[in-house]
Amino acid sequence: MKLLRHGDRGSEKPGLMHTDGTIRDLSGVVPDIAGDVLSDEGLSRLRDVDPSGLPVVDPSTRLGACVGGTGKFMCIGLNYADHAAESGMKVPSEPVLFMKASSAICGPNDPIIIPRGSEKTDWEVELAVIIGTKGKYISEADALRHVAGYAVANDVSERSFQAERQGQWTKGKSCDNFGQLGPWLVTRDEVADPQDLTMYCRVNGQTMQDGSTRTMVYGVAYLVSYLSQFFTLHPGDVISTGTPPGVGLGMKPPRYLKAGEVVELGIQGLGDQRQACVADD
């Protein structure tokens, strides 16, 4: 299934993408794409629903982030060896974890808001893992059973805030609209191998990133297990698993986003995003 959330920001409704290409509203079936709906049992109940009997949503309706109720937006740094190299950093001996504020989460086509004073806003296409079942001390063998599904994420980053303003990376990762998520949550049964998905990012039509999850240092199952050793994972938590090479930081000279530019990104089978860059007022 391809689950989504549609409507104005802050009042999104649950929905799904029907096989006929229409968006269908799930408001009469579940309250949101969140919580227990993300469990295996909850997803099984949704599979029993006949989409053809659900209301059709106007295709011009805004899409929100594909999951609600996210308590933790966790990100893995330097998880592609070639991206670590372009960043001038070593491949870490264990996953590098940082957090993105949940207030940064937005819809897949919502604009990238370039913050005041920013000169180094950057793009990062990433595979997002969405937790469906609560767990702690999860074994790697059982890890994928705790996954509801996968989505495209843009881990937008302001590099000077991230690396030149003291402290850790949070300031450069958590600005408003720095976490586009969607268009859909694709349930794990429809993703045969999360470690074999092609991914891309274009700026103004020029390909910047052209990679594959095959080159991740730490795979999805390992990351779910690893993170659960430190804290409980809850339904709706998001793990953004790192980006392949081709970010603006790694170019010579570096190249960053400006108001008026357009970013497009996507992952095989998980859909595409498109964002206009706008200056914050």
Side-chain angles (χ1 to χ4, degrees):
M1 290 184 296
K2 294 181 174 66
L3 302 176
L4 52 86
R5 298 167 73 243
H6 60 93
D8 294 337
R9 190 164 186 168
S11 57
E12 291 92 344
K13 298 177 181 179
L16 58 77
M17 178 62 69
H18 191 12
T19 53
D20 66 3
T22 60
I23 296 173
R24 301 298 178 119
D25 181 59
L26 283 169
S27 296
V29 181
V30 293
D32 201 354
I33 307 301
D36 292 341
V37 172
L38 299 170
S39 68
D40 285 351
E41 294 77 11
L43 295 175
S44 179
R45 287 193 291 271
L46 286 183
R47 290 189 186 94
D48 290 337
V49 175
D50 180 6
S52 62
L54 297 173
V56 177
V57 177
D58 187 325
S60 67
T61 302
R62 170 188 175 270
L63 295 181
C66 59
V67 64
T70 297
K72 296 187 288 295
F73 195 132
M74 301 161 283
C75 302
I76 307 301
L78 306 174
N79 197 30
Y80 288 71
D82 32 15
H83 171 58
E86 73 173 352
S87 301
M89 304 179 77
K90 295 180 179 179
V91 173
S93 58
E94 60 181 292
V96 172
L97 172 67
F98 61 91
M99 307 285 273
K100 184 185 286 281
S102 58
S103 57
I105 299 173
C106 61
N109 303 314
D110 288 347
I112 293 172
I113 300 175
I114 299 176
R116 291 183 185 179
S118 168
E119 296 181 351
K120 297 182 179 180
T121 297
D122 206 349
W123 57 85
E124 293 189 29
V125 59
E126 304 201 2
L127 171 68
V129 179
I130 298 162
I131 299 298
T133 305
K134 179 179 177 180
K136 189 176 183 181
Y137 303 127
I138 301 167
S139 71
E140 190 171 351
D142 289 335
L144 295 187
R145 298 176 189 172
H146 290 262
V147 173
Y150 305 91
V152 181
N154 192 356
D155 176 21
V156 184
S157 308
E158 211 297 335
R159 302 302 188 185
S160 62
F161 295 1
Q162 176 184 353
E164 301 168 18
R165 296 286 296 274
Q166 300 300 318
Q168 298 179 339
W169 291 358
T170 306
K171 294 192 295 290
K173 295 287 188 171
S174 296
C175 302
D176 295 345
N177 283 39
F178 268 26
Q180 285 82 2
L181 192 62
W184 319 301
L185 183 165
V186 180
T187 52
R188 74 170 190 270
D189 60 298
E190 294 194 4
V191 179
D193 184 358
Q195 304 308 148
D196 190 19
L197 302 173
T198 56
M199 53 207 308
Y200 77 91
C201 180
R202 296 191 292 263
V203 179
N204 299 333
Q206 179 182 357
T207 298
M208 301 298 188
Q209 293 182 278
D210 180 12
S212 170
T213 59
R214 289 192 302 272
T215 64
M216 285 170 59
V217 178
Y218 300 104
V220 170
Y222 183 89
L223 291 173
V224 171
S225 174
Y226 177 85
L227 295 179
S228 77
Q229 308 307 307
F230 303 102
F231 40 71
T232 301
L233 298 176
H234 294 272
D237 284 350
V238 175
I239 306 170
S240 201
T241 57
T243 197
V247 299
L249 172 68
M251 295 185 175
K252 300 186 187 305
R255 188 250 196 259
Y256 299 111
L257 294 171
K258 298 179 177 63
E261 297 191 303
V262 174
V263 178
E264 298 169 288
L265 59 150
I267 298 177
Q268 177 186 353
L270 303 185
D272 305 281
Q273 302 182 355
R274 184 183 188 277
Q275 298 121 24
C277 298
V278 300
D280 205 355
D281 294 331

PDB file of all heavy atoms in Angstrom, residues 214-241:
ATOM      1  N   ARG A 214      22.319   0.532  -2.066  1.00  0.00           N
ATOM      2  CA  ARG A 214      23.294  -0.564  -1.989  1.00  0.00           C
ATOM      3  C   ARG A 214      24.596  -0.128  -1.340  1.00  0.00           C
ATOM      4  O   ARG A 214      25.318  -0.957  -0.775  1.00  0.00           O
ATOM      5  CB  ARG A 214      23.600  -1.104  -3.395  1.00  0.00           C
ATOM      6  CG  ARG A 214      22.478  -1.883  -4.055  1.00  0.00           C
ATOM      7  CD  ARG A 214      22.986  -2.605  -5.301  1.00  0.00           C
ATOM      8  NE  ARG A 214      23.558  -1.679  -6.272  1.00  0.00           N
ATOM      9  CZ  ARG A 214      22.868  -1.047  -7.218  1.00  0.00           C
ATOM     10  NH1 ARG A 214      21.551  -1.232  -7.300  1.00  0.00           N
ATOM     11  NH2 ARG A 214      23.459  -0.241  -8.070  1.00  0.00           N
ATOM     12  N   THR A 215      24.925   1.163  -1.425  1.00  0.00           N
ATOM     13  CA  THR A 215      26.220   1.625  -0.923  1.00  0.00           C
ATOM     14  C   THR A 215      26.149   2.188   0.494  1.00  0.00           C
ATOM     15  O   THR A 215      27.106   2.788   0.971  1.00  0.00           O
ATOM     16  CB  THR A 215      26.829   2.678  -1.868  1.00  0.00           C
ATOM     17  OG1 THR A 215      25.994   3.843  -1.893  1.00  0.00           O
ATOM     18  CG2 THR A 215      26.971   2.132  -3.275  1.00  0.00           C
ATOM     19  N   MET A 216      25.021   1.967   1.179  1.00  0.00           N
ATOM     20  CA  MET A 216      24.948   2.361   2.587  1.00  0.00           C
ATOM     21  C   MET A 216      25.954   1.569   3.405  1.00  0.00           C
ATOM     22  O   MET A 216      26.156   0.375   3.193  1.00  0.00           O
ATOM     23  CB  MET A 216      23.533   2.135   3.130  1.00  0.00           C
ATOM     24  CG  MET A 216      22.516   3.154   2.658  1.00  0.00           C
ATOM     25  SD  MET A 216      20.790   2.720   3.056  1.00  0.00           S
ATOM     26  CE  MET A 216      20.876   2.617   4.835  1.00  0.00           C
ATOM     27  N   VAL A 217      26.596   2.227   4.350  1.00  0.00           N
ATOM     28  CA  VAL A 217      27.541   1.550   5.242  1.00  0.00           C
ATOM     29  C   VAL A 217      26.785   0.667   6.225  1.00  0.00           C
ATOM     30  O   VAL A 217      27.116  -0.507   6.426  1.00  0.00           O
ATOM     31  CB  VAL A 217      28.408   2.578   5.991  1.00  0.00           C
ATOM     32  CG1 VAL A 217      29.360   1.865   6.968  1.00  0.00           C
ATOM     33  CG2 VAL A 217      29.193   3.444   5.015  1.00  0.00           C
ATOM     34  N   TYR A 218      25.773   1.228   6.862  1.00  0.00           N
ATOM     35  CA  TYR A 218      24.951   0.500   7.824  1.00  0.00           C
ATOM     36  C   TYR A 218      23.540   0.401   7.258  1.00  0.00           C
ATOM     37  O   TYR A 218      22.894   1.414   6.992  1.00  0.00           O
ATOM     38  CB  TYR A 218      24.934   1.216   9.182  1.00  0.00           C
ATOM     39  CG  TYR A 218      26.318   1.346   9.784  1.00  0.00           C
ATOM     40  CD1 TYR A 218      26.992   2.569   9.769  1.00  0.00           C
ATOM     41  CD2 TYR A 218      26.952   0.243  10.349  1.00  0.00           C
ATOM     42  CE1 TYR A 218      28.259   2.683  10.311  1.00  0.00           C
ATOM     43  CE2 TYR A 218      28.228   0.357  10.899  1.00  0.00           C
ATOM     44  CZ  TYR A 218      28.880   1.577  10.869  1.00  0.00           C
ATOM     45  OH  TYR A 218      30.143   1.687  11.403  1.00  0.00           O
ATOM     46  N   GLY A 219      23.057  -0.835   7.080  1.00  0.00           N
ATOM     47  CA  GLY A 219      21.767  -1.048   6.456  1.00  0.00           C
ATOM     48  C   GLY A 219      20.600  -0.815   7.393  1.00  0.00           C
ATOM     49  O   GLY A 219      20.753  -0.585   8.596  1.00  0.00           O
ATOM     50  N   VAL A 220      19.403  -0.900   6.831  1.00  0.00           N
ATOM     51  CA  VAL A 220      18.182  -0.586   7.584  1.00  0.00           C
ATOM     52  C   VAL A 220      18.034  -1.472   8.809  1.00  0.00           C
ATOM     53  O   VAL A 220      17.780  -0.979   9.921  1.00  0.00           O
ATOM     54  CB  VAL A 220      16.949  -0.722   6.671  1.00  0.00           C
ATOM     55  CG1 VAL A 220      15.663  -0.639   7.488  1.00  0.00           C
ATOM     56  CG2 VAL A 220      16.970   0.349   5.584  1.00  0.00           C
ATOM     57  N   ALA A 221      18.156  -2.784   8.649  1.00  0.00           N
ATOM     58  CA  ALA A 221      17.963  -3.685   9.787  1.00  0.00           C
ATOM     59  C   ALA A 221      18.964  -3.381  10.899  1.00  0.00           C
ATOM     60  O   ALA A 221      18.610  -3.370  12.088  1.00  0.00           O
ATOM     61  CB  ALA A 221      18.079  -5.137   9.340  1.00  0.00           C
ATOM     62  N   TYR A 222      20.203  -3.144  10.510  1.00  0.00           N
ATOM     63  CA  TYR A 222      21.223  -2.832  11.519  1.00  0.00           C
ATOM     64  C   TYR A 222      20.873  -1.544  12.252  1.00  0.00           C
ATOM     65  O   TYR A 222      20.997  -1.460  13.487  1.00  0.00           O
ATOM     66  CB  TYR A 222      22.599  -2.711  10.871  1.00  0.00           C
ATOM     67  CG  TYR A 222      23.709  -2.469  11.869  1.00  0.00           C
ATOM     68  CD1 TYR A 222      24.372  -3.541  12.467  1.00  0.00           C
ATOM     69  CD2 TYR A 222      24.075  -1.178  12.236  1.00  0.00           C
ATOM     70  CE1 TYR A 222      25.369  -3.331  13.408  1.00  0.00           C
ATOM     71  CE2 TYR A 222      25.070  -0.949  13.170  1.00  0.00           C
ATOM     72  CZ  TYR A 222      25.717  -2.032  13.756  1.00  0.00           C
ATOM     73  OH  TYR A 222      26.694  -1.816  14.688  1.00  0.00           O
ATOM     74  N   LEU A 223      20.446  -0.521  11.522  1.00  0.00           N
ATOM     75  CA  LEU A 223      20.146   0.768  12.141  1.00  0.00           C
ATOM     76  C   LEU A 223      18.978   0.670  13.116  1.00  0.00           C
ATOM     77  O   LEU A 223      19.021   1.244  14.216  1.00  0.00           O
ATOM     78  CB  LEU A 223      19.842   1.808  11.065  1.00  0.00           C
ATOM     79  CG  LEU A 223      21.026   2.237  10.202  1.00  0.00           C
ATOM     80  CD1 LEU A 223      20.558   3.127   9.065  1.00  0.00           C
ATOM     81  CD2 LEU A 223      22.086   2.955  11.039  1.00  0.00           C
ATOM     82  N   VAL A 224      17.915  -0.037  12.722  1.00  0.00           N
ATOM     83  CA  VAL A 224      16.775  -0.194  13.629  1.00  0.00           C
ATOM     84  C   VAL A 224      17.221  -0.894  14.908  1.00  0.00           C
ATOM     85  O   VAL A 224      16.895  -0.460  16.030  1.00  0.00           O
ATOM     86  CB  VAL A 224      15.637  -0.969  12.938  1.00  0.00           C
ATOM     87  CG1 VAL A 224      14.537  -1.325  13.942  1.00  0.00           C
ATOM     88  CG2 VAL A 224      15.056  -0.158  11.785  1.00  0.00           C
ATOM     89  N   SER A 225      17.979  -1.971  14.759  1.00  0.00           N
ATOM     90  CA  SER A 225      18.475  -2.687  15.937  1.00  0.00           C
ATOM     91  C   SER A 225      19.400  -1.817  16.772  1.00  0.00           C
ATOM     92  O   SER A 225      19.262  -1.734  17.996  1.00  0.00           O
ATOM     93  CB  SER A 225      19.213  -3.955  15.483  1.00  0.00           C
ATOM     94  OG  SER A 225      19.832  -4.593  16.584  1.00  0.00           O
ATOM     95  N   TYR A 226      20.322  -1.127  16.117  1.00  0.00           N
ATOM     96  CA  TYR A 226      21.315  -0.296  16.812  1.00  0.00           C
ATOM     97  C   TYR A 226      20.644   0.799  17.634  1.00  0.00           C
ATOM     98  O   TYR A 226      20.930   0.973  18.821  1.00  0.00           O
ATOM     99  CB  TYR A 226      22.256   0.314  15.782  1.00  0.00           C
ATOM    100  CG  TYR A 226      23.296   1.259  16.348  1.00  0.00           C
ATOM    101  CD1 TYR A 226      24.492   0.773  16.860  1.00  0.00           C
ATOM    102  CD2 TYR A 226      23.080   2.633  16.355  1.00  0.00           C
ATOM    103  CE1 TYR A 226      25.451   1.633  17.374  1.00  0.00           C
ATOM    104  CE2 TYR A 226      24.030   3.501  16.860  1.00  0.00           C
ATOM    105  CZ  TYR A 226      25.213   2.997  17.380  1.00  0.00           C
ATOM    106  OH  TYR A 226      26.156   3.858  17.892  1.00  0.00           O
ATOM    107  N   LEU A 227      19.733   1.533  17.013  1.00  0.00           N
ATOM    108  CA  LEU A 227      19.091   2.641  17.723  1.00  0.00           C
ATOM    109  C   LEU A 227      18.254   2.144  18.890  1.00  0.00           C
ATOM    110  O   LEU A 227      18.159   2.813  19.934  1.00  0.00           O
ATOM    111  CB  LEU A 227      18.237   3.457  16.762  1.00  0.00           C
ATOM    112  CG  LEU A 227      18.999   4.185  15.656  1.00  0.00           C
ATOM    113  CD1 LEU A 227      18.025   4.948  14.763  1.00  0.00           C
ATOM    114  CD2 LEU A 227      20.040   5.130  16.216  1.00  0.00           C
ATOM    115  N   SER A 228      17.662   0.965  18.753  1.00  0.00           N
ATOM    116  CA  SER A 228      16.807   0.436  19.822  1.00  0.00           C
ATOM    117  C   SER A 228      17.597   0.010  21.049  1.00  0.00           C
ATOM    118  O   SER A 228      17.003  -0.250  22.103  1.00  0.00           O
ATOM    119  CB  SER A 228      15.987  -0.745  19.299  1.00  0.00           C
ATOM    120  OG  SER A 228      16.775  -1.924  19.210  1.00  0.00           O
ATOM    121  N   GLN A 229      18.906  -0.049  20.930  1.00  0.00           N
ATOM    122  CA  GLN A 229      19.723  -0.370  22.108  1.00  0.00           C
ATOM    123  C   GLN A 229      19.823   0.822  23.062  1.00  0.00           C
ATOM    124  O   GLN A 229      20.182   0.670  24.230  1.00  0.00           O
ATOM    125  CB  GLN A 229      21.136  -0.806  21.691  1.00  0.00           C
ATOM    126  CG  GLN A 229      21.190  -1.901  20.648  1.00  0.00           C
ATOM    127  CD  GLN A 229      20.373  -3.122  21.006  1.00  0.00           C
ATOM    128  OE1 GLN A 229      20.523  -3.685  22.099  1.00  0.00           O
ATOM    129  NE2 GLN A 229      19.501  -3.546  20.099  1.00  0.00           N
ATOM    130  N   PHE A 230      19.496   2.019  22.565  1.00  0.00           N
ATOM    131  CA  PHE A 230      19.658   3.232  23.366  1.00  0.00           C
ATOM    132  C   PHE A 230      18.330   3.803  23.859  1.00  0.00           C
ATOM    133  O   PHE A 230      18.284   4.471  24.889  1.00  0.00           O
ATOM    134  CB  PHE A 230      20.397   4.301  22.545  1.00  0.00           C
ATOM    135  CG  PHE A 230      21.735   3.843  22.056  1.00  0.00           C
ATOM    136  CD1 PHE A 230      21.898   3.435  20.735  1.00  0.00           C
ATOM    137  CD2 PHE A 230      22.823   3.786  22.906  1.00  0.00           C
ATOM    138  CE1 PHE A 230      23.134   2.998  20.274  1.00  0.00           C
ATOM    139  CE2 PHE A 230      24.057   3.339  22.454  1.00  0.00           C
ATOM    140  CZ  PHE A 230      24.215   2.950  21.146  1.00  0.00           C
ATOM    141  N   PHE A 231      17.254   3.569  23.110  1.00  0.00           N
ATOM    142  CA  PHE A 231      15.947   4.090  23.501  1.00  0.00           C
ATOM    143  C   PHE A 231      14.864   3.299  22.779  1.00  0.00           C
ATOM    144  O   PHE A 231      15.130   2.646  21.772  1.00  0.00           O
ATOM    145  CB  PHE A 231      15.802   5.587  23.177  1.00  0.00           C
ATOM    146  CG  PHE A 231      16.391   5.995  21.856  1.00  0.00           C
ATOM    147  CD1 PHE A 231      15.794   5.624  20.664  1.00  0.00           C
ATOM    148  CD2 PHE A 231      17.558   6.749  21.803  1.00  0.00           C
ATOM    149  CE1 PHE A 231      16.343   6.001  19.447  1.00  0.00           C
ATOM    150  CE2 PHE A 231      18.118   7.125  20.594  1.00  0.00           C
ATOM    151  CZ  PHE A 231      17.503   6.749  19.410  1.00  0.00           C
ATOM    152  N   THR A 232      13.668   3.374  23.311  1.00  0.00           N
ATOM    153  CA  THR A 232      12.531   2.685  22.714  1.00  0.00           C
ATOM    154  C   THR A 232      12.119   3.379  21.419  1.00  0.00           C
ATOM    155  O   THR A 232      12.017   4.610  21.365  1.00  0.00           O
ATOM    156  CB  THR A 232      11.344   2.664  23.685  1.00  0.00           C
ATOM    157  OG1 THR A 232      11.731   2.004  24.898  1.00  0.00           O
ATOM    158  CG2 THR A 232      10.157   1.929  23.081  1.00  0.00           C
ATOM    159  N   LEU A 233      11.912   2.604  20.406  1.00  0.00           N
ATOM    160  CA  LEU A 233      11.358   3.114  19.157  1.00  0.00           C
ATOM    161  C   LEU A 233       9.830   3.010  19.221  1.00  0.00           C
ATOM    162  O   LEU A 233       9.291   2.001  19.693  1.00  0.00           O
ATOM    163  CB  LEU A 233      11.886   2.319  17.970  1.00  0.00           C
ATOM    164  CG  LEU A 233      13.409   2.374  17.761  1.00  0.00           C
ATOM    165  CD1 LEU A 233      13.822   1.457  16.614  1.00  0.00           C
ATOM    166  CD2 LEU A 233      13.863   3.789  17.515  1.00  0.00           C
ATOM    167  N   HIS A 234       9.154   4.050  18.735  1.00  0.00           N
ATOM    168  CA  HIS A 234       7.700   4.117  18.815  1.00  0.00           C
ATOM    169  C   HIS A 234       7.095   4.244  17.421  1.00  0.00           C
ATOM    170  O   HIS A 234       7.740   4.761  16.501  1.00  0.00           O
ATOM    171  CB  HIS A 234       7.270   5.318  19.661  1.00  0.00           C
ATOM    172  CG  HIS A 234       7.643   5.217  21.100  1.00  0.00           C
ATOM    173  ND1 HIS A 234       6.844   4.609  22.046  1.00  0.00           N
ATOM    174  CD2 HIS A 234       8.746   5.642  21.771  1.00  0.00           C
ATOM    175  CE1 HIS A 234       7.428   4.668  23.225  1.00  0.00           C
ATOM    176  NE2 HIS A 234       8.582   5.279  23.088  1.00  0.00           N
ATOM    177  N   PRO A 235       5.850   3.813  17.256  1.00  0.00           N
ATOM    178  CA  PRO A 235       5.185   3.988  15.960  1.00  0.00           C
ATOM    179  C   PRO A 235       5.207   5.451  15.530  1.00  0.00           C
ATOM    180  O   PRO A 235       4.919   6.353  16.320  1.00  0.00           O
ATOM    181  CB  PRO A 235       3.756   3.518  16.244  1.00  0.00           C
ATOM    182  CG  PRO A 235       3.890   2.553  17.376  1.00  0.00           C
ATOM    183  CD  PRO A 235       4.997   3.095  18.228  1.00  0.00           C
ATOM    184  N   GLY A 236       5.559   5.668  14.279  1.00  0.00           N
ATOM    185  CA  GLY A 236       5.650   7.018  13.736  1.00  0.00           C
ATOM    186  C   GLY A 236       7.031   7.618  13.807  1.00  0.00           C
ATOM    187  O   GLY A 236       7.288   8.637  13.158  1.00  0.00           O
ATOM    188  N   ASP A 237       7.929   7.031  14.583  1.00  0.00           N
ATOM    189  CA  ASP A 237       9.317   7.504  14.580  1.00  0.00           C
ATOM    190  C   ASP A 237       9.906   7.301  13.191  1.00  0.00           C
ATOM    191  O   ASP A 237       9.587   6.332  12.498  1.00  0.00           O
ATOM    192  CB  ASP A 237      10.166   6.741  15.605  1.00  0.00           C
ATOM    193  CG  ASP A 237       9.906   7.181  17.039  1.00  0.00           C
ATOM    194  OD1 ASP A 237       9.223   8.202  17.240  1.00  0.00           O
ATOM    195  OD2 ASP A 237      10.400   6.507  17.960  1.00  0.00           O
ATOM    196  N   VAL A 238      10.772   8.228  12.802  1.00  0.00           N
ATOM    197  CA  VAL A 238      11.379   8.205  11.470  1.00  0.00           C
ATOM    198  C   VAL A 238      12.895   8.100  11.605  1.00  0.00           C
ATOM    199  O   VAL A 238      13.502   8.804  12.425  1.00  0.00           O
ATOM    200  CB  VAL A 238      11.017   9.478  10.675  1.00  0.00           C
ATOM    201  CG1 VAL A 238      11.752   9.511   9.330  1.00  0.00           C
ATOM    202  CG2 VAL A 238       9.511   9.559  10.456  1.00  0.00           C
ATOM    203  N   ILE A 239      13.496   7.219  10.822  1.00  0.00           N
ATOM    204  CA  ILE A 239      14.959   7.125  10.720  1.00  0.00           C
ATOM    205  C   ILE A 239      15.331   7.496   9.292  1.00  0.00           C
ATOM    206  O   ILE A 239      14.986   6.786   8.341  1.00  0.00           O
ATOM    207  CB  ILE A 239      15.478   5.708  11.025  1.00  0.00           C
ATOM    208  CG1 ILE A 239      14.976   5.220  12.385  1.00  0.00           C
ATOM    209  CG2 ILE A 239      17.010   5.684  10.980  1.00  0.00           C
ATOM    210  CD1 ILE A 239      15.266   3.731  12.639  1.00  0.00           C
ATOM    211  N   SER A 240      16.013   8.618   9.135  1.00  0.00           N
ATOM    212  CA  SER A 240      16.510   9.023   7.824  1.00  0.00           C
ATOM    213  C   SER A 240      17.943   8.508   7.716  1.00  0.00           C
ATOM    214  O   SER A 240      18.796   8.839   8.540  1.00  0.00           O
ATOM    215  CB  SER A 240      16.448  10.546   7.686  1.00  0.00           C
ATOM    216  OG  SER A 240      16.451  10.933   6.338  1.00  0.00           O
ATOM    217  N   THR A 241      18.210   7.684   6.711  1.00  0.00           N
ATOM    218  CA  THR A 241      19.352   6.770   6.761  1.00  0.00           C
ATOM    219  C   THR A 241      20.633   7.267   6.098  1.00  0.00           C
ATOM    220  O   THR A 241      21.577   6.502   5.934  1.00  0.00           O
ATOM    221  CB  THR A 241      18.951   5.425   6.130  1.00  0.00           C
ATOM    222  OG1 THR A 241      18.488   5.661   4.789  1.00  0.00           O
ATOM    223  CG2 THR A 241      17.850   4.751   6.924  1.00  0.00           C
TER     224      THR A 241
END
